[in-house]
Amino acid sequence: MLVLLFITYGHAQDTLKLSNGDQLHGEIKSLNKSVLTFETDYSDADFKIEWKDVTEISSTQKFNIFLSSREKIYASFRDSTTVGVVALALEGGGIRTVNLNEIVIIDPIKDSFADRFKASISAGLTLTKANNARQFSSRAKASYHTKNWQLSGNINDTRSEQDNVEPIRRTDGSVNFNYLFYDNWFAAFHYDFLSNTEQQIKLRSTQTLAIGNLLVRNNKLYLSGSAGITFNRENYYNESEIINTQEGFMGAEFNAYDIGDLSFLAKIGYYPSFTEKNRHRVNFSSDVKYDFPLDFFIKVGYTLNYDSKPPNDGAQQDYVFQTTLGWEF
């Protein structure tokens, strides 16, 4: 297995106090999935701290701070005289106090491009002597975020070859833009693509406009739902005609992470066709991820594509399992 690694560091001066009496000075990198990532000058690796162990926090950085009530606050942290309570210096002036256990996500909003950019890459290789079988899997994702919007993308690729069998190729990916316009409501644009020899799909590209709601967001799990309209463009092998269709869209995303070093992510999209009678498509994906020290991880993924009326006599469904080792930066 091969993993390529790139990283850039920078430092602020933030302070944490922990339940055991320790005090740390460095930079708050993020709070996500009940784990605070904290960087110091005197440690080679970032500290991963359970959020429940933090008793006080102060920082002059600006953050998007999300509460369990699904409210978003743009503020910095100030010292508080009460353990377990933090004072937030608001963007427009004034101070607001909240309990630390109400805070679900802390997302630093930096000025530089490098500090707003996150990415990960993973890969896996399987070699089998029988029939000289070879399978290569790779996955990558990246995101860029500001105070009110986020741009992200991902790509998954699986290639399989063996003697006396046609090669199998499957590539899927997406580009996503989300704009949080009112507390827990967001507008979204998704561009998804799929190329799949099993279903005879040379290229399927979909553009989706949707409105969504953050239904649940706390230190244990995340759940969102959205609905909209999709414009679908399909090009099949051995077919010269390009098919354009319109579909409805209903989707959901679920992420559970208060389970130690494990996390579980599942996404589903349902596409009923407006232009083809009795045609329905379903895209489903799930990932189980286990985190190792130094930001390495192993991930097991499952992806399913279903089409009730596939053109060109392709298969109604196709699925893929992927196991990859990777590094997050």
Side-chain angles (χ1 to χ4, degrees), residues 168-237:
I168 297 173
R169 300 284 188 272
R170 189 185 192 283
T171 304
D172 67 90
S174 66
V175 177
N176 307 292
F177 177 83
N178 291 290
Y179 180 79
L180 191 64
F181 62 87
Y182 179 73
D183 284 342
N184 52 318
W185 289 92
F186 61 89
F189 170 78
H190 304 299
Y191 174 80
D192 299 277
F193 62 89
L194 170 67
S195 178
N196 187 352
T197 54
E198 175 68 18
Q199 292 181 293
Q200 295 296 303
I201 300 171
K202 189 173 184 180
L203 179 63
R204 172 189 288 155
S205 59
T206 60
Q207 301 174 65
T208 301
L209 296 171
I211 297 293
N213 185 269
L214 305 177
L215 302 171
V216 179
R217 180 174 52 201
N218 55 43
N219 283 313
K220 295 181 180 294
L221 59 89
Y222 165 93
L223 175 65
S224 70
S226 57
I229 187 170
T230 292
F231 302 91
N232 194 25
R233 183 181 177 89
E234 297 171 305
N235 186 8
Y236 288 82
Y237 289 104

Side-chain angles (χ1 to χ4, degrees), residues 4 13 33 55 62 72 78 81 83 94 105 111 118 129 131 138 169 176 181 198 209 265 276 296 323:
L4 301 179
Q13 192 58 40
K33 302 177 181 178
T55 59
K62 293 291 186 180
K72 185 191 79 169
R78 296 292 182 266
T81 57
V83 174
I105 294 174
D111 294 327
K118 297 179 181 179
K129 182 179 180 181
N131 296 323
S138 60
R169 300 284 188 272
N176 307 292
F181 62 87
E198 175 68 18
L209 296 171
L265 173 65
E276 296 180 278
F296 286 93
T323 301

